[in-house]
Structures are given as structure tokens and as C-alpha cells.
Amino acid sequence: MNYFIKKYFTFDKKFFLNKIIPCLCAFFLVISVSLIISVIVQNDAIYATLDKNSDSFIHIKREINQGVAFSMLDSSPIFASVIQFISSLIFLFLIFFVIKNPVCCFFLAAVSFGGFFNFFDRFALKTIDGIKTTGVLDYLQFSFWQPVFNIPDMCVVGGSICFIISFIIVFIIDASSYTQIDKKKEINLFIDTCFENLNIGVFQEDFFNIKICVPTHNNLTDISIDYIKNMLEKISVNIKQINNIYLTIGPGSFTGCRIGCIFAKVLKTINPDLKIYTVDSLRLQKNNNSLSIIDAKGKKFYTALYINNELKQPIGIKTMDEISSIAKELNIPIYKNYENVDIFANFFLNKSDFSLTNLPFDPLYIKNPI
């Protein structure tokens, strides 16, 4: 029950911004403009003043349509209505369960709500030229084309065209963000969940085929599995095809250290041949001679001192005054909280520091979890 509530009744900011907001914008745009113009066109006094000159590029031609635009179902209006309603539902399904880009969601929502408006408009009672009737009210016509449209029709047609164009553009941009996997070579997964960002990537030899850095905002547990799953889907890699995992085990966030380790252990149970290589998180921001520190809260920092690329003393917790004193005495730089550090570039610089690790292994907490 708790899992069900968390999965389906927990506010998802990403879902809200990428799907709900575009859908609401499309809904209010389609419905408000459609209702306003429909009311105007049905008013005989206003209708009499509107441009009906067929030579005009777009002009008014008010008529009732029982069928569906761009279909061969005009002789079967009930069947056409059913098809229209089901199509609109399918588009909504695609928005919420398939399409991810907010621009694509907006255009597809315009198509869907345009279809829904026409469906319900079909049953609304109207008075046209003194005659009470039902059916879709069409009122816009182009000088170069015989069919008559309304705003929902134009949303369906225009939204479909814009959706296809935007989908192609998003696909091209998305595809350019990664390099195709060579299935003949080892596939390696890098995971760093120890600090403020979720850093994940798939690499072969000495370059990342795909890499993602996502701010966690204290929702690492919710997003990590989804991001890893989506990343692997983009490059058509199955979990069982991964040969090696390179994992940071801490110190850092207690939750982050634990999540990364749990994920690696689960993959190891799925694929016993999987090799797990681990390293402490401080090594990924070190230089040959440096102090690498990560916020440990309470004005203290996890601290590692490296001289000639070697750890000179066990990782500990120090205050900023102590760290500054050591750095000044040894005349070495301080690398703090991955600031101005490209973690993916540093990964290859420090890849040799990762060591093969067998189960069981634990996160490197340094201080006890709260």
C-alpha cells in the first residue's frame, strides 16, 4: 500500500512541468479560442458583419458538419464520432505514457483537445439561420480550398504537423547527445550518487557513449533508477549486457552512497559475471598534489590528502580551518564539492584508482548514518 501511494499519489515535479503544464496550456488555448469564436459566429448580428468574401485568403462560411474532416465517414456520423473520441484518447495516452518532451506534449495535446472539442460540439444544440440543430459548427474557409474548418480542426491539423516537426527535431538533438554502442566491445557503466548530483554514464574504452548529470534536490531515491533505465534505453543496452560497473561508494550523502551500492549489488545478482570496481568519491576530484574535500555538514568536511597521487593518511573529517592550515603548509590546492570539476573527464584521469570489489561490500560512510 505504501509503495502504491508513493508511486501514484506523490507529487512529481518533472511530470508536472513536462506533461501537466503543456496539457493545461493547450487545453485552455484550444477551448477558450474555440468557444469565443464559436459564440461570435453563432450571433447573427455579428455574423452579418464578418468577411464572407470568397476571394479573401481566409473568410467566414458558417455551416454544420455531421462527419469528420479529412475522413470518408461523412455518411456515418455516429461511427465517425466514436473514431474521433477514441483517437483523442489515444493521443492523451501517448502524452502521459510515451512522449517526454514538453513541446511535443503541447502540440499533441492541442490535437487531442481539438478532437474532444469537436466531439462534444457535435451534440450541442445550436441555432443557425433560425434553425435549431446539432452538429459540428465549421466557420473558417480558405480561398484556395473548398472544405470549411473551425478552430479545433485547425488545432488538429496544425498541431499534428507541428508535433511531427518538433518530434523529429527533438529526436535528432537527442540522438546527437550519445554515440552508438559497439556490442563487440565491453560495455561499462559509471555511477556516482554520493553527493549533490546523480552522475551516470556508459563508456567503452576511453570515451563516454552517453553521460548524464542531474541535480538530485533530495529526490535521488525516486529518480536514480529511472534515469539509469532511460539512459540505457537510449543506446539500446540491456542491463545484462553490462560487463563492468565503476561505482563511487562514498563518503558523501548517506542516502546517495547507499543507493549506488544497492543498485550495483542488485545488478550483480542479475548478472553474476558482472565485475564491480569501486573507489572513494574524494578521488574523483583530486589532483596529483591536493586536498580533496566534500561537505560533511556541521561545518565539517570529509578530507583526503594526496601527495604524488597517493593518499597520505586515512580519509577523515576536518574543519575548514584545519584544511586551510594543511593546504597553506604544503602549498597545495583545495578541491571542494566538485566545484569547477568535470567529473566525467576526471573519471578517466583517475580510472586506475578503481579496484575490483567482491560482494559483500558496504558504503564508505566515515561517520555513522543518522
Coordinates of all heavy atoms in Angstrom, one line a residue, residues 293-356:
I293 N 38.0 17.6 -0.7 CA 37.1 17.7 0.4 C 35.6 17.7 -0.1 O 35.3 18.2 -1.2 CB 37.3 18.9 1.3 CG1 37.0 20.2 0.6 CG2 38.8 19.0 1.8 CD1 37.1 21.5 1.4
I294 N 34.8 17.1 0.7 CA 33.3 17.1 0.4 C 32.6 17.4 1.7 O 32.9 16.9 2.8 CB 32.9 15.7 -0.1 CG1 33.5 15.4 -1.4 CG2 31.4 15.6 -0.1 CD1 33.1 14.0 -2.0
D295 N 31.6 18.2 1.6 CA 30.8 18.7 2.7 C 30.2 17.5 3.5 O 29.5 16.7 3.0 CB 29.6 19.6 2.2 CG 28.9 20.3 3.3 OD1 29.4 20.2 4.5 OD2 27.9 21.0 3.1
A296 N 30.5 17.5 4.8 CA 30.0 16.5 5.8 C 29.0 17.1 6.7 O 28.6 16.4 7.7 CB 31.2 15.9 6.5
K297 N 28.5 18.3 6.4 CA 27.5 19.0 7.3 C 28.2 19.4 8.6 O 29.2 18.9 9.0 CB 26.3 18.2 7.5 CG 25.6 17.7 6.2 CD 25.2 18.8 5.3 CE 24.6 18.3 4.0 NZ 24.2 19.3 3.1
G298 N 27.5 20.3 9.3 CA 28.0 20.7 10.6 C 29.3 21.5 10.5 O 30.2 21.4 11.4
K299 N 29.6 22.2 9.4 CA 30.8 23.0 9.1 C 32.0 22.1 9.1 O 33.1 22.6 9.4 CB 30.9 24.1 10.2 CG 29.8 25.1 10.1 CD 30.0 26.2 11.1 CE 28.9 27.3 11.1 NZ 29.1 28.4 12.0
K300 N 31.9 20.8 8.8 CA 33.0 19.9 8.7 C 33.0 19.3 7.3 O 32.0 19.3 6.6 CB 33.0 18.9 9.8 CG 33.2 19.4 11.2 CD 33.2 18.4 12.2 CE 33.5 19.0 13.6 NZ 33.6 17.9 14.6
F301 N 34.2 18.7 6.9 CA 34.3 18.2 5.6 C 35.0 16.8 5.6 O 36.0 16.6 6.4 CB 35.1 19.1 4.7 CG 34.4 20.4 4.4 CD1 34.5 21.5 5.4 CD2 33.7 20.7 3.3 CE1 33.9 22.7 5.1 CE2 33.1 21.9 3.1 CZ 33.2 22.9 4.0
Y302 N 34.6 15.9 4.8 CA 35.3 14.7 4.5 C 36.6 15.1 3.8 O 36.5 15.9 2.8 CB 34.6 13.7 3.7 CG 33.2 13.3 4.3 CD1 32.0 13.6 3.7 CD2 33.2 12.5 5.4 CE1 30.8 13.2 4.3 CE2 32.0 12.0 6.0 CZ 30.8 12.4 5.4 OH 29.6 12.0 5.9
T303 N 37.7 14.6 4.2 CA 39.0 15.2 3.7 C 40.0 14.0 3.4 O 40.1 13.1 4.1 CB 39.7 16.1 4.8 OG1 38.7 17.1 5.2 CG2 40.9 16.8 4.2
A304 N 40.6 14.2 2.2 CA 41.7 13.3 1.8 C 42.8 14.1 1.3 O 42.7 15.0 0.4 CB 41.1 12.3 0.7
L305 N 44.0 13.8 1.7 CA 45.3 14.4 1.3 C 46.0 13.5 0.4 O 46.3 12.4 0.7 CB 46.1 14.7 2.6 CG 47.5 15.3 2.3 CD1 47.5 16.6 1.5 CD2 48.3 15.4 3.6
Y306 N 46.3 14.1 -0.8 CA 47.0 13.4 -1.8 C 48.4 14.0 -2.1 O 48.4 15.2 -2.4 CB 46.2 13.2 -3.1 CG 44.9 12.5 -3.0 CD1 43.7 13.1 -2.7 CD2 45.0 11.1 -3.0 CE1 42.6 12.4 -2.5 CE2 43.8 10.3 -2.8 CZ 42.6 11.0 -2.6 OH 41.4 10.3 -2.4
I307 N 49.4 13.3 -2.1 CA 50.8 13.7 -2.4 C 51.3 12.8 -3.5 O 51.4 11.5 -3.2 CB 51.7 13.8 -1.2 CG1 51.2 14.8 -0.1 CG2 53.1 14.3 -1.7 CD1 51.1 16.2 -0.6
N308 N 51.7 13.3 -4.6 CA 52.2 12.5 -5.7 C 51.2 11.4 -6.0 O 51.5 10.2 -6.3 CB 53.6 11.8 -5.4 CG 54.7 12.9 -5.2 OD1 54.7 13.9 -6.0 ND2 55.6 12.6 -4.3
N309 N 49.9 11.8 -6.0 CA 48.8 10.9 -6.4 C 48.5 9.8 -5.4 O 47.7 8.9 -5.7 CB 49.0 10.3 -7.8 CG 47.7 10.1 -8.6 OD1 46.8 10.9 -8.4 ND2 47.7 9.1 -9.4
E310 N 49.1 9.8 -4.3 CA 48.9 8.8 -3.3 C 48.2 9.4 -2.0 O 48.6 10.5 -1.6 CB 50.2 8.2 -2.8 CG 50.9 7.3 -4.0 CD 52.1 6.6 -3.5 OE1 52.4 6.7 -2.2 OE2 52.8 6.0 -4.3
L311 N 47.3 8.6 -1.4 CA 46.6 9.1 -0.2 C 47.6 9.0 0.9 O 48.1 7.9 1.2 CB 45.4 8.2 0.0 CG 44.5 8.5 1.2 CD1 43.9 9.8 1.1 CD2 43.5 7.4 1.5
K312 N 47.9 10.1 1.6 CA 48.9 10.1 2.6 C 48.4 9.8 4.0 O 49.2 9.5 4.9 CB 49.6 11.5 2.6 CG 50.2 11.9 1.3 CD 51.2 10.9 0.8 CE 52.4 10.7 1.6 NZ 53.4 9.8 1.0
Q313 N 47.1 9.8 4.2 CA 46.5 9.5 5.5 C 45.1 9.0 5.3 O 44.5 9.4 4.3 CB 46.6 10.7 6.5 CG 46.0 11.9 6.0 CD 46.2 13.1 6.9 OE1 45.3 13.6 7.5 NE2 47.5 13.6 7.0
P314 N 44.5 8.3 6.2 CA 43.2 7.8 6.1 C 42.2 9.0 5.9 O 42.4 10.1 6.5 CB 42.9 7.0 7.3 CG 44.2 6.6 7.8 CD 45.2 7.7 7.5
I315 N 41.1 8.8 5.1 CA 40.1 9.8 5.0 C 39.5 10.1 6.3 O 39.2 9.2 7.1 CB 39.0 9.3 4.0 CG1 39.6 9.1 2.6 CG2 37.9 10.3 3.9 CD1 38.6 8.4 1.6
G316 N 39.4 11.4 6.6 CA 38.8 11.8 7.9 C 37.9 13.0 7.8 O 37.6 13.4 6.6
I317 N 37.5 13.5 8.9 CA 36.6 14.7 8.9 C 37.4 15.9 9.6 O 37.9 15.7 10.7 CB 35.3 14.4 9.7 CG1 34.6 13.2 9.0 CG2 34.4 15.6 9.8 CD1 33.3 12.8 9.7
K318 N 37.4 17.0 8.9 CA 38.2 18.2 9.4 C 37.3 19.4 9.2 O 36.4 19.5 8.4 CB 39.5 18.3 8.7 CG 40.4 17.1 8.9 CD 41.8 17.4 8.2 CE 42.7 16.1 8.3 NZ 43.0 15.8 9.7
T319 N 37.7 20.4 10.0 CA 37.1 21.7 9.9 C 37.8 22.5 8.7 O 38.9 22.1 8.3 CB 37.2 22.6 11.1 OG1 38.6 22.8 11.4 CG2 36.6 21.8 12.3
M320 N 37.1 23.6 8.3 CA 37.7 24.3 7.2 C 39.0 25.0 7.6 O 40.0 25.1 6.8 CB 36.7 25.4 6.7 CG 37.1 26.0 5.3 SD 36.9 24.7 4.0 CE 38.3 25.2 3.0
D321 N 39.1 25.4 8.9 CA 40.4 26.0 9.4 C 41.5 25.0 9.3 O 42.6 25.3 8.9 CB 40.2 26.5 10.8 CG 39.3 27.7 10.9 OD1 39.1 28.4 9.9 OD2 38.7 28.0 12.0
E322 N 41.2 23.7 9.7 CA 42.3 22.7 9.7 C 42.7 22.4 8.3 O 43.9 22.2 8.0 CB 41.7 21.4 10.3 CG 41.5 21.5 11.8 CD 40.8 20.3 12.4 OE1 39.9 19.8 11.7 OE2 41.2 19.9 13.5
I323 N 41.7 22.4 7.3 CA 42.0 22.1 5.9 C 42.9 23.2 5.3 O 43.9 23.0 4.6 CB 40.7 21.9 5.1 CG1 40.0 20.7 5.6 CG2 41.0 21.9 3.6 CD1 38.6 20.6 5.1
S324 N 42.5 24.5 5.6 CA 43.2 25.6 5.1 C 44.7 25.6 5.7 O 45.6 26.0 4.9 CB 42.5 26.9 5.5 OG 41.2 27.0 5.0
S325 N 44.8 25.3 6.9 CA 46.2 25.2 7.5 C 47.1 24.2 6.8 O 48.2 24.5 6.5 CB 46.0 24.9 9.0 OG 47.3 24.8 9.6
I326 N 46.5 23.0 6.5 CA 47.3 22.0 5.8 C 47.6 22.4 4.4 O 48.8 22.3 4.0 CB 46.5 20.7 5.8 CG1 46.3 20.1 7.2 CG2 47.2 19.6 4.9 CD1 45.3 18.9 7.3
A327 N 46.7 23.0 3.7 CA 46.9 23.4 2.3 C 48.0 24.5 2.3 O 48.8 24.5 1.4 CB 45.6 24.0 1.7
K328 N 47.9 25.4 3.3 CA 48.9 26.5 3.3 C 50.3 26.0 3.6 O 51.3 26.4 3.0 CB 48.5 27.6 4.4 CG 49.4 28.8 4.4 CD 48.9 29.8 5.4 CE 49.8 31.0 5.5 NZ 49.3 32.0 6.4
E329 N 50.4 25.0 4.6 CA 51.7 24.5 5.0 C 52.3 23.7 3.8 O 53.5 23.8 3.6 CB 51.5 23.5 6.2 CG 52.8 22.9 6.7 CD 52.5 21.9 7.8 OE1 51.4 22.0 8.4 OE2 53.4 21.1 8.1
L330 N 51.5 22.9 3.1 CA 52.1 22.1 2.0 C 52.0 22.8 0.6 O 52.5 22.3 -0.4 CB 51.3 20.8 1.9 CG 51.3 19.9 3.1 CD1 50.4 18.7 2.9 CD2 52.8 19.5 3.4
N331 N 51.4 24.0 0.6 CA 51.3 24.8 -0.6 C 50.6 23.9 -1.7 O 51.1 23.8 -2.9 CB 52.6 25.3 -1.1 CG 52.5 26.3 -2.2 OD1 51.5 27.0 -2.3 ND2 53.5 26.3 -3.1
I332 N 49.4 23.4 -1.4 CA 48.7 22.6 -2.4 C 47.3 23.1 -2.5 O 46.7 23.8 -1.6 CB 48.6 21.1 -2.0 CG1 48.1 21.0 -0.6 CG2 50.0 20.5 -2.1 CD1 47.9 19.5 -0.1
P333 N 46.6 22.9 -3.6 CA 45.2 23.4 -3.8 C 44.2 22.6 -3.1 O 44.4 21.4 -2.8 CB 45.0 23.3 -5.3 CG 45.9 22.2 -5.8 CD 47.1 22.2 -4.9
I334 N 43.0 23.2 -2.9 CA 41.9 22.5 -2.3 C 40.8 22.3 -3.4 O 40.4 23.3 -4.1 CB 41.3 23.3 -1.1 CG1 42.3 23.5 0.0 CG2 40.1 22.6 -0.6 CD1 41.9 24.5 1.1
Y335 N 40.3 21.1 -3.5 CA 39.2 20.8 -4.4 C 38.0 20.5 -3.6 O 38.0 19.5 -2.8 CB 39.6 19.6 -5.3 CG 40.7 20.0 -6.3 CD1 42.0 19.7 -6.0 CD2 40.3 20.5 -7.6 CE1 43.0 20.0 -6.9 CE2 41.3 20.8 -8.5 CZ 42.7 20.6 -8.2 OH 43.6 20.9 -9.1
K336 N 37.0 21.3 -3.7 CA 35.8 21.2 -2.8 C 34.5 21.0 -3.5 O 34.2 21.7 -4.5 CB 35.7 22.6 -2.0 CG 34.5 22.7 -1.1 CD 34.5 24.1 -0.5 CE 33.2 24.3 0.3 NZ 33.2 25.7 0.8
N337 N 33.8 19.9 -3.1 CA 32.4 19.7 -3.5 C 32.2 19.6 -5.0 O 31.2 20.0 -5.6 CB 31.5 20.7 -2.9 CG 31.4 20.6 -1.4 OD1 31.7 19.6 -0.8 ND2 30.9 21.7 -0.8
Y338 N 33.3 19.2 -5.7 CA 33.2 19.0 -7.2 C 33.0 20.3 -7.9 O 32.6 20.4 -9.1 CB 32.1 18.0 -7.6 CG 32.4 16.6 -7.1 CD1 31.7 16.1 -6.0 CD2 33.3 15.8 -7.8 CE1 31.9 14.8 -5.6 CE2 33.6 14.5 -7.3 CZ 32.9 14.0 -6.2 OH 33.1 12.7 -5.8
E339 N 33.3 21.4 -7.2 CA 33.1 22.8 -7.9 C 34.2 22.9 -9.0 O 35.4 22.7 -8.8 CB 33.3 23.9 -6.8 CG 32.2 23.8 -5.8 CD 32.4 24.8 -4.6 OE1 33.5 25.5 -4.6 OE2 31.6 24.9 -3.7
N340 N 33.7 23.3 -10.2 CA 34.6 23.5 -11.3 C 35.4 22.3 -11.7 O 36.5 22.3 -12.2 CB 35.6 24.7 -11.1 CG 34.9 26.0 -10.7 OD1 33.9 26.4 -11.4 ND2 35.4 26.7 -9.7
V341 N 34.8 21.1 -11.4 CA 35.4 19.8 -11.8 C 34.5 19.1 -12.7 O 33.3 18.9 -12.5 CB 35.6 19.0 -10.5 CG1 36.1 17.6 -10.9 CG2 36.7 19.6 -9.6
D342 N 35.1 18.7 -13.9 CA 34.3 17.8 -14.8 C 34.5 16.4 -14.3 O 35.6 15.8 -14.6 CB 34.9 18.0 -16.2 CG 34.1 17.2 -17.2 OD1 33.4 16.3 -16.9 OD2 34.2 17.5 -18.5
I343 N 33.5 15.8 -13.7 CA 33.7 14.5 -13.1 C 33.9 13.4 -14.1 O 34.6 12.4 -13.8 CB 32.4 14.2 -12.2 CG1 32.7 13.0 -11.3 CG2 31.2 13.9 -13.0 CD1 31.7 12.8 -10.2
F344 N 33.3 13.6 -15.3 CA 33.5 12.6 -16.3 C 34.9 12.6 -16.9 O 35.5 11.5 -17.2 CB 32.4 12.8 -17.4 CG 31.0 12.6 -17.0 CD1 30.2 13.7 -16.7 CD2 30.5 11.4 -16.7 CE1 28.9 13.6 -16.3 CE2 29.2 11.2 -16.2 CZ 28.4 12.3 -16.0
A345 N 35.5 13.8 -17.1 CA 36.9 13.9 -17.5 C 37.8 13.3 -16.4 O 38.8 12.6 -16.7 CB 37.2 15.3 -17.9
N346 N 37.5 13.7 -15.2 CA 38.3 13.2 -14.1 C 38.2 11.7 -13.9 O 39.2 11.1 -13.4 CB 37.9 13.9 -12.8 CG 38.7 15.2 -12.5 OD1 39.0 15.9 -13.5 ND2 38.9 15.5 -11.3
F347 N 37.1 11.1 -14.3 CA 36.9 9.7 -14.2 C 38.1 9.0 -14.9 O 38.7 8.0 -14.4 CB 35.6 9.3 -14.7 CG 35.5 7.8 -14.9 CD1 35.2 6.9 -13.8 CD2 35.6 7.2 -16.1 CE1 35.1 5.6 -14.0 CE2 35.5 5.8 -16.3 CZ 35.3 5.0 -15.2
F348 N 38.3 9.4 -16.2 CA 39.3 8.7 -16.9 C 40.7 9.0 -16.4 O 41.6 8.2 -16.5 CB 39.3 9.1 -18.4 CG 38.1 8.5 -19.1 CD1 37.0 9.3 -19.6 CD2 38.0 7.1 -19.3 CE1 36.0 8.7 -20.2 CE2 36.9 6.5 -19.9 CZ 35.9 7.3 -20.4
L349 N 40.9 10.2 -15.8 CA 42.2 10.5 -15.2 C 42.5 9.6 -14.0 O 43.7 9.3 -13.7 CB 42.2 12.0 -14.8 CG 42.2 13.0 -16.0 CD1 42.1 14.4 -15.4 CD2 43.4 12.9 -16.9
N350 N 41.5 9.3 -13.3 CA 41.6 8.5 -12.1 C 41.1 7.1 -12.1 O 40.8 6.4 -11.1 CB 41.0 9.3 -10.9 CG 41.6 10.6 -10.7 OD1 42.7 10.8 -10.3 ND2 40.8 11.7 -10.9
K351 N 40.8 6.6 -13.4 CA 40.2 5.3 -13.5 C 41.0 4.2 -12.9 O 40.5 3.2 -12.4 CB 40.0 5.1 -15.0 CG 39.3 3.7 -15.4 CD 38.9 3.8 -16.8 CE 38.4 2.4 -17.3 NZ 39.5 1.4 -17.5
S352 N 42.4 4.3 -13.0 CA 43.2 3.3 -12.4 C 43.1 3.2 -10.9 O 43.6 2.2 -10.3 CB 44.7 3.6 -12.8 OG 45.1 4.9 -12.2
D353 N 42.5 4.1 -10.2 CA 42.3 4.1 -8.8 C 41.2 3.2 -8.4 O 41.0 2.8 -7.2 CB 42.1 5.5 -8.2 CG 43.3 6.3 -8.3 OD1 44.5 5.8 -8.3 OD2 43.2 7.6 -8.4
F354 N 40.3 2.8 -9.3 CA 39.2 1.9 -9.0 C 39.7 0.5 -8.8 O 40.6 0.1 -9.5 CB 38.2 1.9 -10.2 CG 37.3 3.1 -10.2 CD1 37.7 4.3 -10.7 CD2 35.9 3.0 -9.8 CE1 36.9 5.4 -10.8 CE2 35.1 4.1 -9.8 CZ 35.6 5.3 -10.3
S355 N 39.2 -0.2 -7.8 CA 39.7 -1.5 -7.5 C 38.5 -2.5 -7.6 O 37.4 -2.2 -7.3 CB 40.3 -1.6 -6.1 OG 39.3 -1.2 -5.2
L356 N 38.8 -3.7 -8.1 CA 37.8 -4.8 -8.3 C 37.3 -5.2 -6.9 O 38.1 -5.4 -6.0 CB 38.4 -6.0 -9.0 CG 37.5 -7.2 -9.2 CD1 36.3 -6.8 -10.1 CD2 38.3 -8.3 -9.9

